[in-house]
Amino acid sequence: ARESERERKKGGEGGEQEVVGRRNPGNMNFLEEKMAKPKLRDLIHAVRQCRTAAQERSLVAKESAKIRTSFAKDNAENRQRNVAKLLYIHMLGYPSKFGQMECLKLISSQYFADKRIGYLGLMLLLDEKQEVLMLATHSLKKDLAHSNQYVVGLALCAIANISSEEIARDSAADVAKLMGSGSAYIRKKAALAAVRIVRKLPEMQENFTPKIRSLLSDSNHGVLVAACSLMIELMEKHRPNTRVFRAYVPGIVRILKAVACSGYSPEYDVHGVMDPFLQVKLLRVLRYLGHNSREASNQMNDILAQVATNTESERIVGNAILYECVQTIMFIKAEKGLRVLAINILGRFLSQRDNNIRYVALNTLNKVLSPDQTAIQRHRETIVECLKDPDISIRRRALDLVYNLVNTNNVRALVREMLTFLMNADVEFRADLGAKICLVTEKYAPNKKWHLDTIVRVLSIAGEYIRDDVVAGLIAMISQTEDLHTYAVQKMYLALNRGLLKQPLVQAALWCLGEYADILLSKGDAHGGEEIALSVSEDDIFTIFEKVDKHASTTPLTREFMVTACTKMIERNGNPAFQARAVGFLERFSSNYNLEIHERTNEYLNIIRFVEDPAGRSKILGPIPPPPAKKNFDEPSPARGGEGSAAPKSPAALSRPREKAPPAAEPEAPASSGGSLLDDLAVLSSGMGAPAGGSPMAPQVPAGGGEDLLSNIFGGAPTSTPVPVAGDALVPMNVGAVGGPGAGGVVQASPSVFPNAVVYDRNGISVEFSFQKNPNNVAHTLVTATLVNSSGIPAERVSFKISVPKYIKFQVAAPSGNSLPPMGQGNITVPIKLNNSLHGQKPILMRLRLEYTSNGQDLVETADVKNFPPGL
């Protein structure tokens, strides 16, 4: 019995093992199949477990191969899962274009889950430039007529994101129809799709303009937000729509008032603020509608004041609404009190800790500085404190604002703060900051002594970062101010004793020693009692020269200044012992490795040794006459060493009398060919520069006339090859005399008596010319081109170029910027100097070329300017 029971148990165990053995193969196949077809979350988990980039690439490559194999087998069962994994791989940055056709197959499926993944893949893996997208047109139109609103919503989302011009044209009528749907969900998405259609095809705006009234009367906030976006796009693409939509201002004001003053609603509440997204959109629409309209601005003044007063600024959502409200107030014709309220809000922003809020406040204050400078001056201390902020972007914006705030009343205080900031500023700040301090000092200095002290302080702090024309301007200012000679040479002598590291300061000091060392040695009384108690001997000056020569930072240019200064001192000092010592010092440089120093030293030695006539030597080595007062039409260009600099850049100009430049040959009158005068246009200039040498002659053109030179100056196929003349290259140009750097000085321009002329106005970009004539030469004209962007889209990388007839010589100064903010928030000015050699015989003509990037598209526009005022 026991044996039989034992055998029965063994049989039972064996039987059970046999059953398990029969199930194991099935279980293993199931597990293998599961591992072979992992879900999206399994792939995400596996990617996160990769410890190196190589492991991740290997895993993604294997998974992509499996997905590609499944697509090749046309496995419809796993298509949705594979596309979802492919989208994740695409988000990781790996190639995924092989799944585009599978997205189209999912879109054509009858199941919503497939369509959802298919449309998502369509929007991520394709763009409007891909020809594959055209295959989705039929599915899109079919889904727009679907009975399920969520399927319709998927199609509208795809149109709003990636529709091309062809798809936009085919679906415009269906989208306009859906904007009147009974479902708020569909109306909202249809309005957003309409934004894309108007952006791609502005001529289709007539289909959607009548729908705005019904959308604004909707009670759903999502529909209202979409309607505001559509209104903004319609106004940007077609400016006359702004006048049409101004009839809706009272209704928009009522909506904004209802939203801003309504009680708590959990559906739209964000940190205690009622639907900030809708409030921001409504304020932006009001900004467009109130721009350049006094009537519309008056209708919205009260609600803007209410929003600005009642909105809390403790949270980011409140600050976002306040910022948009300030933007609206600043760019409509608001009341003065309302603008002061907006400036005060920006002042409160500057006191907050959030750097983003402080940055936008500084940026906005820079834009509205001109009309509201008095109100901004009240926040001057807060703005100056921003110069000490650790964030470099805050410091840069604050520096720009402080520079623009300087005037004759606060120049001492603000320059003092800027100098303090300069001492601790980063290296990348010093060049820009030093240039700004020098410009405001030159423009607003209360007296020449303070001007000199400030420039010397700048040179002693950041001399190595200061541009060359600052030293030249300081030299010109000292030479023009006789009462300042004693004080200047004494101060420069003390600066040399304090240190020789800042080479621009050393150069200016050496020039002063060369010109006024006799004053320093004579210990005479200074004009006005401004002298410093000093006792200086000739040995002290030679000690300075020795230190400069041996100093490690001394440059060849500084040695040129020193050689010239030493030569001038020989001429002024009659002591034979001093002259012998000075000649011995000069002989050190007679064989210098630097060609300029070598040649100049030997020239000076020959003059000293062989020119015995005192009058002749005095003409060469005597004091140079003060240069004429600098009265340019505009501020100097910040470029270092520009060719248009009116001040001398080397001691050569300081030691030898300036030779009289030969008169420029007048260009021959172009032969008449029976064509338009615009056929003579042959010179092209960019807003970033002008022809070298100031005003070169135009390139010569083949005889025969009748050929349109304008056909190739802007990049077209040339009909003839112009022969360029020497110096025809474009180089950075400072605003100087029309005659170029060799001209003796800059003549003063009389106030403008010619009316301004708008010479270009397309796509919201306008160019306005203002004119000034030179009273001493009627052929010279200053034209200031002002570029303004009144559209709602910023224009970047703006390039302004001109071409003129070859009988006109010209100079183009550097533009004030290369970007135009929207809604007229800023402008670019480009000074242009013209010299019409045939004044009275032929008029001024010009062709403009405007290149810029707007909304991601590179645009090129040209225009002929023939409406110059008579008499120019």
Side-chain angles (χ1 to χ4, degrees):
R2 282 195 294 270
E3 288 293 333
S4 61
E5 181 67 16
R6 189 180 296 114
E7 291 176 0
R8 186 182 65 80
K9 289 181 178 181
K10 288 182 181 179
E13 291 172 1
E16 187 173 353
Q17 289 175 0
E18 186 178 355
V19 172
V20 173
R22 287 196 301 269
R23 292 177 180 176
N24 277 341
N27 289 342
M28 288 301 297
N29 293 336
F30 173 76
L31 291 175
E32 290 176 359
E33 182 181 359
K34 182 177 181 181
M35 292 302 298
K37 302 175 182 178
K39 295 182 179 179
L40 175 60
R41 62 171 175 265
D42 298 328
L43 176 61
I44 296 174
H45 178 73
V47 170
R48 291 178 177 177
Q49 294 300 315
C50 294
R51 296 186 177 182
T52 63
Q55 291 180 358
E56 179 182 305
R57 289 194 298 269
S58 176
L59 175 65
V60 170
K62 292 178 181 179
E63 190 63 35
S64 298
K66 293 178 182 179
I67 295 173
R68 192 180 288 107
T69 302
S70 178
F71 287 163
K73 293 179 179 180
D74 199 16
N75 190 345
E77 181 181 354
N78 298 315
R79 182 178 293 133
Q80 176 189 344
R81 179 182 297 176
N82 288 331
V83 171
K85 291 189 290 184
L86 190 62
L87 295 180
Y88 177 69
I89 291 174
H90 172 76
M91 292 170 61
L92 294 176
Y94 295 96
S96 55
K97 291 185 178 180
F98 59 88
Q100 293 176 349
M101 293 302 300
E102 302 302 315
C103 296
L104 298 178
K105 293 177 181 178
L106 287 176
I107 289 173
S108 60
S109 173
Q110 58 180 340
Y111 299 106
F112 176 76
D114 290 347
K115 286 182 177 292
R116 182 177 60 179
I117 297 297
Y119 276 113
L120 181 59
L122 188 76
M123 290 182 281
L124 289 178
L125 303 184
L126 281 80
D127 56 49
E128 59 181 283
K129 299 179 181 179
Q130 307 236 356
E131 296 181 358
V132 180
L133 188 61
M134 292 300 300
L135 301 177
T137 305
H138 176 71
S139 298
L140 284 170
K141 291 183 66 67
K142 182 179 178 181
D143 289 341
L144 287 176
H146 203 280
S147 58
N148 189 328
Q149 65 173 354
Y150 298 107
V151 174
V152 177
L154 290 175
L156 291 171
C157 280
I159 293 173
N161 279 280
I162 61 168
S163 67
S164 60
E165 292 185 2
E166 292 77 10
I167 293 178
R169 185 175 289 105
D170 293 340
S171 59
D174 295 330
V175 172
K177 182 179 179 182
L178 290 173
M179 291 172 69
S181 171
S183 170
Y185 176 82
I186 293 179
R187 293 197 301 272
K188 174 184 67 176
K189 291 188 176 293
L192 295 176
V195 172
R196 174 78 177 193
I197 294 174
V198 172
R199 187 172 298 163
K200 302 303 296 183
L201 298 172
E203 64 271 15
M204 304 298 293
Q205 53 90 22
E206 297 179 354
N207 293 355
F208 306 107
T209 303
K211 305 290 184 180
I212 295 298
R213 181 183 295 274
S214 61
L215 292 176
L216 289 177
S217 62
D218 204 297
S219 60
N220 185 277
H221 286 202
V223 177
L224 291 174
V225 171
C228 292
S229 299
L230 180 58
M231 286 183 68
I232 293 172
E233 192 67 29
L234 289 170
M235 288 186 286
E236 287 179 351
K237 293 300 182 183
H238 193 58
R239 301 298 295 176
N241 282 333
T242 305
R243 293 191 295 270
V244 176
F245 292 156
R246 281 181 182 143
Y248 304 148
V249 170
I252 296 174
V253 169
R254 284 195 300 270
I255 297 172
L256 181 58
K257 186 175 183 179
V259 175
C261 302
S262 62
Y264 173 77
S265 175
E267 184 179 1
Y268 301 111
D269 183 82
V270 179
H271 294 293
V273 178
M274 181 66 171
D275 202 347
F277 304 99
L278 179 57
Q279 291 193 51
V280 167
K281 281 290 185 180
L282 291 171
L283 289 169
R284 190 168 300 172
V285 170
L286 291 177
R287 187 197 315 171
Y288 279 78
L289 298 177
H291 187 62
N292 292 332
S293 174
R294 176 66 65 182
E295 181 181 359
S297 300
N298 291 336
Q299 293 176 341
M300 60 185 76
N301 278 335
D302 292 341
I303 187 59
L304 292 176
Q306 191 172 353
V307 171
T309 305
N310 297 337
T311 304
E312 296 290 338
S313 60
E314 297 178 357
R315 295 184 179 274
I316 294 179
V317 289
N319 288 327
I321 295 173
L322 287 174
Y323 174 69
E324 200 65 40
C325 185
V326 169
Q327 292 276 79
T328 302
I329 292 172
M330 289 301 173
F331 301 113
I332 67 172
K333 293 184 177 298
E335 299 173 350
K336 184 177 180 180
L338 198 56
R339 297 181 68 89
V340 173
L341 175 61
I343 297 295
N344 292 337
I345 291 174
L346 294 176
R348 293 204 307 269
F349 281 1
L350 294 177
S351 303
Q352 298 199 16
R353 295 183 179 180
D354 192 316
N355 282 350
N356 294 324
I357 296 175
R358 299 170 72 190
Y359 180 85
V360 298
L362 290 170
N363 203 30
T364 307
L365 287 172
N366 267 312
K367 294 176 182 177
V368 301
L369 184 64
S370 298
D372 300 284
Q373 187 170 111
T374 303
I376 298 175
Q377 289 284 357
R378 301 192 187 104
H379 305 279
R380 190 178 67 199
E381 295 182 2
T382 308
I383 296 169
V384 170
E385 284 297 317
C386 293
L387 290 174
K388 306 172 185 177
D389 194 276
D391 193 321
I392 186 173
S393 59
I394 299 293
R395 297 200 303 271
R396 192 177 296 278
R397 292 288 91 192
L399 175 61
D400 292 340
L401 186 55
V402 169
Y403 167 69
N404 292 324
L405 283 175
V406 176
N407 55 37
T408 53
N409 297 324
N410 59 23
V411 61
R412 291 179 181 268
L414 289 184
V415 168
R416 188 185 311 116
E417 293 290 344
M418 295 170 76
L419 286 171
T420 303
F421 177 58
L422 180 62
M423 297 177 65
N424 304 314
D426 299 331
V427 172
E428 62 269 19
F429 263 105
R430 295 199 169 191
D432 187 32
L433 179 56
K436 283 180 166 57
I437 295 175
C438 294
L439 285 176
V440 299
T441 301
E442 181 180 0
K443 189 174 182 180
Y444 299 110
N447 54 67
K448 296 295 184 180
K449 180 177 178 294
W450 183 87
H451 184 184
L452 172 65
D453 292 340
T454 303
I455 299 298
V456 171
R457 182 79 183 281
V458 172
L459 293 176
S460 64
I461 296 174
E464 64 270 31
Y465 303 104
I466 302 303
R467 65 178 190 259
D468 297 338
D469 63 331
V470 171
V471 177
L474 176 62
I475 291 173
M477 187 269 292
I478 294 173
S479 63
Q480 292 165 2
T481 311
E482 185 177 354
D483 295 345
L484 204 60
H485 291 173
T486 301
Y487 179 79
V489 70
Q490 292 177 341
K491 189 171 185 66
M492 290 297 185
Y493 176 79
L494 292 176
L496 284 176
N497 280 297
R498 283 193 294 267
L500 304 174
L501 189 61
K502 310 300 181 182
Q503 289 298 291
L505 179 59
V506 175
Q507 294 164 12
L510 289 172
W511 181 90
C512 285
L513 287 179
E515 293 295 320
Y516 311 119
D518 52 339
I519 300 177
L520 188 64
L521 296 172
S522 66
K523 308 180 184 63
D525 292 336
H527 296 277
E530 294 289 349
E531 77 280 1
I532 303 171
L534 286 178
S535 177
V536 182
S537 65
E538 295 151 347
D539 292 337
D540 295 332
I541 295 179
F542 270 108
T543 302
I544 290 290
F545 286 167
E546 294 282 355
K547 290 181 179 179
V548 172
D549 184 35
K550 296 178 181 179
H551 200 274
S553 62
T554 301
T555 63
L557 180 61
T558 304
R559 286 190 170 90
E560 293 175 25
F561 274 91
M562 182 175 61
V563 168
T564 303
C566 185
T567 305
K568 285 177 171 286
M569 290 181 64
I570 295 175
E571 173 63 23
R572 312 280 175 80
N573 196 313
N575 186 351
F578 174 84
Q579 292 181 349
R581 184 177 179 182
V583 169
F585 181 77
L586 285 178
E587 287 177 345
R588 298 183 191 178
F589 304 97
S590 61
S591 58
N592 193 278
Y593 69 92
N594 184 277
L595 180 61
E596 177 69 22
I597 299 176
H598 168 81
E599 181 181 0
R600 192 165 306 286
T601 303
N602 284 282
E603 289 176 355
Y604 289 158
L605 289 173
N606 288 334
I607 293 172
I608 294 171
R609 290 167 177 166
F610 302 114
V611 179
E612 298 179 355
D613 182 17
R617 289 175 57 176
S618 178
K619 284 184 179 181
I620 302 174
L621 302 177
I624 62 171
K630 177 183 174 182
K631 293 187 178 181
N632 282 345
F633 290 115
D634 203 350
E635 294 178 349
S637 170
R640 289 179 65 91
E643 289 294 328
S645 177
K649 297 195 295 180
S650 70
L654 305 177
S655 60
R656 295 183 299 184
R658 184 174 298 172
E659 296 180 5
K660 185 176 180 181
E666 291 293 330
E668 295 182 2
S672 175
S673 59
S676 170
L677 285 176
L678 283 174
D679 291 338
D680 292 330
L681 289 171
V683 179
L684 174 63
S685 173
S686 167
M688 298 303 295
S695 51
M697 296 295 295
Q700 300 296 321
V701 296
E707 297 184 19
D708 187 8
L709 295 178
L710 291 179
S711 63
N712 58 36
I713 64 174
F714 289 137
T719 57
S720 62
T721 305
V723 180
V725 296
D728 194 38
L730 297 180
V731 297
M733 175 60 64
N734 196 359
V735 185
V738 177
V746 181
V747 293
Q748 183 176 1
S750 62
S752 175
V753 295
F754 296 95
N756 295 353
V758 178
V759 298
Y760 173 88
D761 190 2
R762 297 177 194 166
N763 301 325
I765 307 291
S766 63
V767 179
E768 184 178 14
F769 279 1
S770 59
F771 309 97
Q772 287 182 340
K773 290 295 288 185
N774 183 349
N776 300 324
N777 191 338
V778 294
H780 292 181
T781 304
L782 172 70
V783 180
T784 302
T786 304
L787 286 68
V788 179
N789 178 14
S790 59
S791 70
I793 303 175
E796 304 292 341
R797 298 199 296 273
V798 180
S799 174
F800 179 78
K801 301 178 181 179
I802 66 168
S803 57
V804 295
K806 57 187 178 182
Y807 58 83
I808 295 177
K809 296 183 289 185
F810 70 98
Q811 286 181 348
V812 181
S816 60
N818 63 351
S819 62
L820 287 171
M823 303 302 296
Q825 300 177 15
N827 58 42
I828 296 176
T829 57
V830 184
I832 306 169
K833 290 190 176 184
L834 303 176
N835 180 9
N836 185 0
S837 60
L838 298 180
H839 183 269
Q841 303 177 37
K842 289 192 176 183
I844 295 177
L845 300 175
M846 186 181 297
R847 171 164 288 185
L848 310 181
R849 178 183 171 97
L850 191 63
E851 302 175 1
Y852 60 95
T853 301
S854 178
N855 201 20
Q857 297 181 350
D858 294 332
L859 302 177
V860 178
E861 300 283 350
T862 59
D864 292 335
V865 183
K866 303 179 182 179
N867 58 335
F868 285 95
L872 285 180

